[in-house]
Amino acid sequence: MPANVTPEYKKAEERYLQARTLEEKIKATEEMIRVAPKHKGSEKLLKTLKHRLAKLRLELEEKREKKIGRGGGPSFSVKKEGAAQVALVGLPNSGKSKILRDLTSARVEVADYPFTTRCPVPGMMQFEDVQVQLVEVPAIVEGSSYGRGLGARPLSVARNADAIALVVDASDEPVNQIRILLNELEAVGVKLNCRPPKVSIEKRSSGGIEIKGAKLVEGGEVEIKRILQEHRIHNAFVVIEEPITPEDFEEALSESNVYPRGFILLTKFDTPNAAEKLEVIRREFGGLLEVLHTGEKPDDLKRRIYQQLDLIRVYTKKPDEKPAGRPLVLPRGSTVMDVARSVHKDFAKELKFARVWGSTRFPGQQVTRDYVLEDRDVVELHI
């Protein structure tokens, strides 16, 4: 906290720390933003407060969403089906509806006016022998995380997805569209293609604060204890395994961030200069996000979307029988033991070894439980 905050700010902060409900926390945070100093030295504080406010509002929206679901009203919740769920997130008229219509069997209205889609629309995309669920999310606008447009509800759909496609219109400043979408997702704790910081926080009933790796945080033990005190944590065992910022530590503490996979999907590729804009996007964002476009054939685009999910298909078989027709779909890096767990918990307990066809040096090679599988491997479990 900057040393020059006003007494009004300190009072609002105390109200936030004493708040018991989401509504009270939101009101106190809004007051903190209103009375916080407005100069270069307070930019970091204001950014943190605005992100906190966005997450609190989203949490309140999700709480209301559950009540709506129980009451039978219109809901933004979409049950996951298929191998994975991909949220199509974009600004108004970015082409989300057309993608959903072209790649799935979903019946969806395609129009040239804003907010055609008012609720999430799911559809199943068939890729070879796997189905992937695409969900068109109602349009995001700049400030959605703070209540503009349809508010934070569309962002809650994106938070729950396995992957997010940033759908941007090649005819209308796509780089600016991407920045808006990334900022709105960041505001509600969505970190695309990132991983959680290596921090563990074990709360205790007594014993005070014990910290391992405090030097890896800017400000060290003093800063960590300050943050813990703000969150009213007085007894905990904290382990930090990599260099992080105080903001990273606070986010790990709140457990409010999600880490889905993400990619860019450039639409309206038949517009002038679309290919040049594609190269600009790749230069600007290629280090973080893969860039796909609708100029590709539908089957190729389906393949590219599936590849972004980083999944593998594994076919189980019984001795002397053919492999199963439908695969198990697992995260890349999965092992024989993961397959056993997916089949039945008893298989995991009693598994002795497995035979694998596909990625091994020779067909039917016997492997150990921790053997890492590849896409289209055939696995025969022996218990």
Side-chain angles (χ1 to χ4, degrees):
M1 181 199 306
N4 60 345
V5 295
T6 62
E8 290 82 3
Y9 179 92
K10 291 180 180 178
K11 288 179 181 178
E13 182 180 44
E14 185 59 32
R15 284 196 294 273
Y16 172 80
L17 293 173
Q18 293 177 355
R20 290 291 179 267
T21 67
L22 284 172
E23 288 85 354
E24 289 173 349
K25 289 182 178 180
I26 288 170
K27 188 174 180 180
T29 304
E30 288 173 337
E31 181 66 10
M32 290 166 73
I33 292 171
R34 189 183 70 80
V35 301
K38 306 297 190 295
H39 52 69
K40 193 168 183 65
S42 66
E43 287 178 357
K44 196 173 182 180
L45 171 66
L46 285 168
K47 183 179 178 182
T48 299
L49 290 173
K50 287 178 179 179
H51 280 198
R52 177 199 290 173
L53 180 60
K55 291 176 184 179
L56 288 170
R57 284 176 171 167
L58 182 63
E59 191 176 345
L60 183 61
E61 290 279 7
E62 290 175 341
K63 188 177 177 181
R64 289 171 177 167
E65 184 71 24
K66 289 179 182 178
K67 289 183 179 179
I68 290 171
R70 288 196 295 268
S75 172
F76 267 49
S77 178
V78 180
K79 182 182 177 182
K80 290 184 179 181
E81 296 181 357
Q85 184 185 86
V86 179
L88 305 176
V89 177
L91 274 57
N93 294 336
S94 57
K96 302 184 301 298
S97 296
K98 189 173 187 307
I99 290 171
L100 190 69
R101 188 185 66 183
D102 291 348
L103 299 184
T104 76
S105 57
R107 294 182 179 180
V108 58
E109 181 182 0
V110 179
D112 60 358
Y113 54 85
F115 302 105
T116 308
T117 302
R118 306 291 296 189
C119 288
V121 181
M124 299 305 293
M125 180 187 81
Q126 186 74 41
F127 169 69
E128 295 179 353
D129 53 1
V130 174
Q131 285 193 323
V132 174
Q133 185 184 49
L134 305 185
V135 179
E136 181 189 357
V137 176
I140 306 297
V141 298
E142 191 168 12
S144 283
S145 55
Y146 307 122
R148 288 193 62 206
L150 297 176
R153 291 180 79 192
L155 291 166
S156 69
V157 182
R159 273 182 60 88
N160 292 323
D162 300 303
I164 295 175
L166 304 181
V167 181
V168 295
D169 176 357
S171 69
D172 186 20
E173 299 183 15
V175 168
N176 187 51
Q177 293 176 57
I178 294 167
R179 287 178 179 150
I180 290 172
L181 294 174
L182 289 175
N183 286 339
E184 294 304 312
L185 290 168
E186 172 77 17
V188 296
V190 178
K191 308 273 191 178
L192 296 181
N193 296 341
C194 295
R195 61 166 179 77
K198 292 183 178 179
V199 177
S200 65
I201 303 163
E202 179 188 340
K203 296 179 185 178
R204 296 172 169 176
S205 57
S206 62
I209 302 297
E210 183 182 353
I211 306 169
K212 287 190 175 181
K215 292 181 179 179
L216 295 171
V217 179
E218 181 184 338
E221 186 172 326
V222 173
E223 180 66 9
I224 293 170
K225 288 185 174 179
R226 182 192 70 78
I227 294 171
L228 290 171
Q229 186 176 16
E230 279 190 1
H231 287 262
R232 298 191 171 189
I233 297 173
H234 306 293
N235 302 285
F237 177 51
V238 179
V239 178
I240 300 159
E241 300 182 55
E242 64 182 359
I244 58 171
T245 65
E247 290 75 21
D248 290 333
F249 180 77
E250 188 158 15
E251 288 177 352
L253 188 65
S254 67
E255 299 180 344
S256 61
N257 288 342
V258 293
Y259 301 86
R261 299 191 63 79
F263 57 96
I264 296 166
L265 182 44
L266 186 64
T267 64
K268 306 180 187 178
F269 203 69
D270 55 350
T271 56
N273 302 319
E276 289 85 346
K277 291 178 180 178
L278 174 66
E279 291 308 311
V280 172
I281 292 170
R282 282 177 172 157
R283 286 198 300 270
E284 189 84 14
F285 302 100
L288 173 65
L289 300 159
E290 284 285 326
V291 188
L292 287 58
H293 62 83
T294 55
E296 303 179 57
K297 295 178 181 178
D299 285 347
D300 292 338
L301 185 55
K302 289 180 181 182
R303 181 181 300 278
R304 294 285 305 281
I305 291 173
Y306 176 77
Q307 289 171 344
Q308 301 309 306
L309 302 173
D310 214 21
L311 300 171
I312 61 170
R313 291 163 287 180
V314 176
Y315 303 84
T316 58
K317 71 179 290 292
K318 296 178 180 178
D320 302 321
E321 293 188 14
K322 292 182 179 180
R326 294 180 62 182
L328 293 173
V329 183
L330 302 168
R332 187 171 297 280
S334 294
T335 65
V336 166
M337 181 58 83
D338 294 318
V339 173
R341 291 192 191 99
S342 298
V343 173
H344 197 281
K345 61 181 180 181
D346 289 342
F347 273 60
K349 291 178 183 177
E350 301 177 18
L351 182 66
K352 291 183 178 179
F353 66 91
R355 297 190 185 279
V356 174
W357 287 257
S359 62
T360 48
R361 285 178 294 175
F362 56 86
Q365 181 176 334
Q366 182 174 318
V367 299
T368 59
R369 297 176 169 201
D370 58 356
Y371 180 80
V372 178
L373 299 162
E374 296 292 339
D375 189 41
R376 293 188 174 278
D377 274 354
V378 174
V379 178
E380 184 179 275
L381 301 173
H382 289 259
I383 60 175

